[in-house]
Structures are given as C-alpha cells and as structure tokens.
Amino acid sequence: MTMSVPERKSGSEGKEEESEDESEILEESPCGRWQKRKEQVSQGNVPGVESASLAMDTEEGVEVVWNEVLFSDKKVFKAQEEKIKEMFENLMQVEHPNIVKFHKYWLDMKESQARVIFITEYMSSGSLKQFLKKTKKNHKTMNVKAWKRWCTQILSALSYLHSCDPPIIHGNLTCDTIFIQHNGLIKIGSVWHRLFVNVFPDASVHGKARQHRDEQRNLHFFAPEYGLARADKGADEDDYAIDIFSFGICALEMAVLEIQANGDIAVSKEAIITAGQSLEDPPMREFTQSCLRHEAKLRPTAHDLLFHRVLFEVHSLKLLAAHCLINNQYLLPENCVEEKTKSFDPNAVMAEIKHEDRQGVQLKYSHVSPLELDKFLEDVKNGIYPLMNFASSRLHPVPRTLSLSQEQVETVKTPTPEPQETETRKVVQMHCNLESNEEGTKTHLSLFLKMDDKLHRQLSCDILPTDTSKDLASELVHYAFINEEDSEKVAVFLEDAISRHRVKALASGSTQ
C-alpha cells in the first residue's frame, strides 16, 4: 500500500478550512482506535482502492491512512471473501523497517454493498519522485553516499520479500511507490499490488490497476517480460527479476535525478541508455546495467546486489555493536547507554593504535558525543543502516494463516465486525520478579514490559512447577499481551529468570 502527501491549501484560509472541515471525524473503526477524517490522500496506484483518507490512530497519536475497497455486487464479494481474508491476514505478517506498515483490516457488510477497510502507515514526507524533483529544481546533484544508503535500504526490503515462503513479488516498484522520511529512512509501498490484482477480478475494481499500469510516465519501470506470464497461461509466473529491473530504473533515476522524456511521451529505451552512460563511476554504471539486462535470468538477485562492489562494505565495529545492543535491548536496564556514558572519565583512553615508526593514536571517551551516539542508535533502530551484508538467504514463513487449525478456520468464517486484536508493538526491555510461597508449590511472577512506543505493561500471575517458559510466552501471545515475534525472546528471558530463581531457592533451602 502506498500513499502520497495530500495537497494542502496554503495561507491562513487553507489552514482554517483544514482545521474546520478536513479534521472532521467521519467514521470510527469498530474497536474505536481508528478515526477517519475528511481529508483525502491522493493514492492512484493500489488497484481497487476507491478512496483513501487520513485517519488518526488514537492509541499511538499518529496519522495513518484509511483505505476502502467497495463491492457493489455482494455476490462477487461473497465469492472472493475467503481469498480476501487470507490476503489481508498475510499483509499483517509483513514486517520490515523499509516496508510501509500494514496495521489492520475489517469487513463492513451492508444491504446495498460490501466494504473492505484497511489501515496503513502514512508517509508524510512524500515520495522519492517528489524528492528527486525538488533536488533537481535546486540545481543540486545526488550525493553518492546517500545514493548507496538508499539502494541498500530498498534492496534490504526486496531481499526480505523475495526470501519469504512463498516469495512475494512487488511488481509495482517505481519512484512513486518509494517513500523517503526526513531522517533518510526509505520505505517501499504498494507491496501487495500484484496480490490485489489477483484477488479483485471485478472489472470496476480492476480498471484502476490497468489505468495506473498504462500511465505512460511509469512504463519504463516495468521489465520487458512484465505480465507475459499471466497472458500466457502455460508460462511461469513473473519472478523476482521484474522487481530487479524496476529497482535498476529507480537506482538510475536516483543517480541522475530524472531520466528525460519528450513531454508526456513514455521514457524511451534510448533515454535510459543515455542516462546510464552519463554515470561517471564505472562500477555504478555496471551496477545499474546488470539490473536492466533484457534477459530476466541474467539479472542478479537482491541479495547478490547487496554484495556488489558498489554497495558492499565491511561494517564498522560501531555499527555491529549498535545492532547487537538494539537486538538485546530487552535484557538491559532502561537508559543504560546514557548512564554508562556519564560514568566514563572523558580523558580516559578507550582504544590506542601503536606504531613502531611514528606516534600512535589515542581515542578518548571525550571524542564520542553522547547525543550523536543516541541519534545513531535511533537511526539503526529505524532501519536506516541495515546489516544486509551479513543477512542469510533463509526463507521467512509467510503467512501463518495458511496453517490454521479447523477450529480457527471456523472462527475466521464467523461474521465478526473486526478480526481479533493482536499486539503489534515490540518489547524493548523486560524485568521480572519471582517469589515462591513457603511450601514451594507455586511461584508468583511479576513481569514488567517496556514497549517500543515507550509505554509500559505490567503483568502478574501464579505459576506452577509444571509451567514452562514457552507455555507462558504462548499465553502472552494468545491474550495479545506481546507480539508473536517476541515470543521466543520472552520465553528465553523467562527460562533464565525461572532457572536462576529455582537454583537460589534450592541453595537457600539447603542452608536451613
């Protein structure tokens, strides 16, 4: 799903109208968390989406996008209902810092029509296309370091999608469906464009997809073989190579800011070749040309491109340490970095490089700015500096919904207004306290969780000697206290805490 920045009126008149009219709440989600506003978001590249409006997430206090797919024929909707539910359940499993987040969906059945409503992340800073236009207008050139960082982030997302099981093909990657935040974070949207096309076969829904596909200014992003597999039923489906071709065009446009076209006419093959030849750096030129090879099977994978000499670098110890710290943050006390830096003597030497033939180099703690360190950690956490050079090509199982039990399948078919709530926030820190009764028959567990939105969750229960840490973690997921992705690390944390408590209890018992 993608969304563009809405056109806002300038001046005091526009501000007054926005505050009075566009902020008006038109509708609420069944759970009350999402509030649809009047302000529309321009979004023409997701098939089937009849309208997209700004909305407020009342829990997080941030703007999101409220998308609607309308079905005037309820028979068509009923025929596709199971596919639609499966698709949207799949959407909720996609989790990557460089992919626009899909939050929630629900079905709305009325006598005259049916609606599918889904909530997506709002990218307020605009598309990559808009950024490149502004850069060119200001007569500036693209910074090579920024270009490399953007390419790495886009490829990080594509590598994730292509390594899912089954693989997810984007099929609509353009500079209009890539978004850039003010901090340099890149996110790709419209991830499930092709899935929407397949699930919504209705002509009125399909029209927008064809209209966008035929938009001449974006035709050059599509590989020569795009759509041929679906046209020829005997052929294989389009594979990752169509995304690599599209990425190659995006990388080229990022480098030259714009591939020139004659007026409204589509960008020609000659214009692409000319733009590629204008790149002064030979490795960069070879990098983009490898993505644009006519024969699909000769194009590299996203994972291979991350190891190309243009992008590959040996990560600094600082970056490796930052990723290690963030991945294990739940084990560390709150504000541990801030407290640790305060305790250091600024004149103390933290590292020294000695040379036999010349004076050595000393690195002192005063050379490190705590503020810069905090910002760097925040950037790493947000996905601006991924460790993709070390990423395995393991498959990510997507989705869970393909392995539902029969009981769960029956539950899915129940006409509830909204799917069961799940915890979407991640745990960043954990603390717990264990106290056993005198008989030792049960233990009281107090668990403190700090979530990634800086809100806290405190839980307590009695556990028996037969309870395992995995069972406890599964219960926390079941009752939506933690995200399923946190289940394993919570189980490991509890296992360690319970083991240490039992050892301590045995030791105290033997001394009595």
Side-chain angles (χ1 to χ4, degrees):
M1 269 53 58
T2 66
M3 54 297 299
S4 303
V5 179
E7 295 181 5
R8 301 176 186 257
K9 296 183 179 181
S10 60
S12 59
E13 181 185 349
K15 290 180 180 177
E16 287 175 9
E17 288 185 15
E18 179 185 352
S19 60
E20 292 176 9
D21 298 330
E22 294 181 338
S23 61
E24 178 186 349
I25 296 172
L26 301 180
E27 189 178 349
E28 280 192 352
S29 63
C31 65
R33 176 174 178 177
W34 322 98
Q35 295 180 338
K36 177 185 177 182
R37 301 215 307 251
K38 194 172 183 179
E39 186 173 358
Q40 292 285 302
V41 179
S42 176
Q43 182 177 340
N45 57 344
V46 179
V49 177
E50 298 294 328
S51 67
S53 307
L54 275 184
M56 179 59 72
D57 179 349
T58 58
E59 283 190 15
E60 302 290 342
V62 297
E63 289 182 317
V64 292
V65 179
W66 175 298
N67 307 269
E68 295 184 12
V69 181
L70 302 180
F71 289 83
S72 55
D73 189 339
K74 290 182 72 173
K75 289 183 180 179
V76 172
F77 175 79
K78 281 291 182 185
Q80 300 293 326
E81 186 174 0
E82 292 307 312
K83 275 188 178 181
I84 291 168
K85 286 180 178 178
E86 183 180 291
M87 180 192 73
F88 280 107
E89 288 295 332
N90 296 350
L91 278 167
M92 295 179 68
Q93 309 310 313
V94 176
E95 185 74 42
H96 191 277
N98 300 116
I99 295 176
V100 171
K101 176 68 178 168
F102 182 97
H103 290 295
K104 198 71 176 175
Y105 84 96
W106 63 93
L107 310 181
D108 180 37
M109 301 284 289
K110 292 182 179 178
E111 291 183 8
S112 57
Q113 63 181 14
R115 280 191 309 169
V116 181
I117 300 164
F118 59 98
I119 305 295
T120 54
E121 183 179 4
Y122 176 49
M123 304 301 293
S124 59
S125 298
S127 69
L128 184 60
K129 173 73 80 177
Q130 292 169 322
F131 181 87
L132 296 177
K133 279 188 176 180
K134 289 177 185 176
T135 305
K136 186 179 181 182
K137 189 177 180 180
N138 294 329
H139 306 288
K140 293 183 179 179
T141 56
M142 177 53 59
N143 179 280
V144 175
K145 287 184 73 175
W147 179 87
K148 290 181 179 182
R149 193 158 61 241
W150 293 352
C151 285
T152 301
Q153 291 180 63
I154 297 168
L155 288 170
S156 169
L158 288 180
S159 181
Y160 167 85
L161 292 173
H162 295 169
S163 63
C164 287
D165 185 18
I168 300 170
I169 309 302
H170 189 291
N172 189 33
L173 190 69
T174 71
C175 289
D176 285 314
T177 61
I178 298 173
F179 298 89
I180 179 168
Q181 295 290 69
H182 64 278
N183 60 357
L185 178 66
I186 289 284
K187 291 202 175 195
I188 65 174
S190 194
V191 167
W192 290 80
H193 176 275
R194 282 165 56 84
L195 192 52
F196 267 55
V197 171
N198 293 335
V199 170
F200 300 138
D202 181 73
S204 63
V205 168
H206 236 298
K208 288 193 174 183
R210 288 198 299 269
Q211 180 184 349
H212 180 73
R213 171 65 180 87
D214 295 334
E215 199 172 351
Q216 290 194 356
R217 70 186 180 91
N218 280 337
L219 280 176
H220 62 294
F221 285 97
F222 295 91
E225 73 277 11
Y226 182 89
L228 294 179
R230 284 196 298 274
D232 180 4
K233 293 182 180 178
D236 293 332
E237 278 289 315
D238 294 327
D239 65 2
Y240 71 86
I242 67 169
D243 285 345
I244 299 302
F245 185 94
S246 299
F247 165 76
I249 296 292
C250 291
L252 187 55
E253 283 211 353
M254 287 191 297
V256 301
L257 299 182
E258 183 183 19
I259 301 175
Q260 294 291 340
N262 297 323
D264 294 329
I265 301 174
V267 173
S268 65
K269 186 178 179 180
E270 291 72 23
I272 295 172
I273 294 172
T274 302
Q277 291 174 345
S278 70
L279 297 177
E280 296 179 359
D281 184 44
M284 190 184 291
R285 190 164 58 243
E286 190 273 328
F287 175 84
T288 56
Q289 287 175 349
S290 69
C291 300
L292 303 178
R293 288 170 182 150
H294 185 82
E295 197 169 344
K297 65 182 181 181
L298 297 179
R299 295 174 207 147
T301 64
H303 190 261
D304 291 339
L305 287 169
L306 286 162
F307 284 88
H308 191 281
R309 54 180 174 161
V310 165
L311 300 182
F312 180 78
E313 59 181 30
V314 177
H315 292 308
S316 66
L317 183 59
K318 177 182 175 182
L319 183 59
L320 294 171
H323 275 275
C324 183
L325 179 69
I326 287 163
N327 291 339
N328 297 282
Q329 196 172 3
Y330 64 94
L331 294 171
L332 303 171
E334 191 174 358
N335 301 325
C336 68
V337 175
E338 182 182 349
E339 295 300 322
K340 197 70 176 175
T341 52
K342 282 181 182 177
S343 66
F344 289 141
D345 176 5
N347 295 316
V349 176
M350 61 178 175
E352 185 175 7
I353 303 172
K354 293 184 177 181
H355 300 289
E356 292 182 0
D357 56 341
R358 62 186 187 278
Q359 188 176 359
V361 179
Q362 288 187 339
L363 300 175
K364 298 183 178 181
Y365 286 106
S366 58
H367 296 161
V368 179
S369 166
L371 290 176
E372 288 181 7
L373 187 60
D374 282 342
K375 184 183 181 302
F376 179 71
L377 286 170
E378 191 66 25
D379 288 344
V380 172
K381 184 178 179 181
N382 288 335
I384 295 177
Y385 303 105
L387 278 185
M388 286 308 297
N389 300 129
F390 294 93
S392 65
S393 55
R394 64 185 176 83
L395 297 178
H396 304 280
V398 174
R400 266 182 324 186
T401 52
L402 298 183
S403 57
L404 294 174
S405 67
Q406 187 59 40
E407 183 181 353
Q408 288 172 312
V409 170
E410 293 302 320
T411 305
V412 169
K413 292 178 181 178
T414 306
T416 52
E418 187 174 13
Q420 184 181 353
E421 287 287 339
T422 56
E423 179 59 82
T424 57
R425 298 171 299 172
K426 297 295 185 65
V427 174
V428 294
Q429 285 182 348
M430 290 183 283
H431 304 285
C432 77
N433 183 55
L434 291 157
E435 293 181 3
S436 297
N437 60 2
E438 292 182 2
E439 296 80 15
T441 54
K442 64 180 180 180
T443 303
H444 186 74
L445 167 67
S446 297
L447 180 63
F448 175 84
L449 304 175
K450 183 179 178 183
M451 316 307 279
D452 58 10
D453 59 358
K454 297 184 180 178
L455 295 178
H456 300 164
R457 173 163 274 167
Q458 192 159 351
L459 308 165
S460 63
C461 69
D462 290 327
I463 58 175
L464 300 173
T466 54
D467 290 329
T468 68
S469 58
K470 285 188 177 181
D471 292 337
L472 294 171
S474 296
E475 278 193 38
L476 291 172
V477 172
H478 177 75
Y479 291 109
F481 288 128
I482 64 171
N483 188 300
E484 186 177 28
E485 292 186 12
D486 286 331
S487 177
E488 186 176 346
K489 73 178 183 183
V490 170
V492 171
F493 174 79
L494 290 174
E495 178 66 30
D496 180 60
I498 292 170
S499 297
R500 283 190 283 108
H501 175 75
R502 285 172 179 167
V503 169
K504 186 177 177 182
L506 287 172
S508 62
S510 61
T511 56
Q512 293 177 355

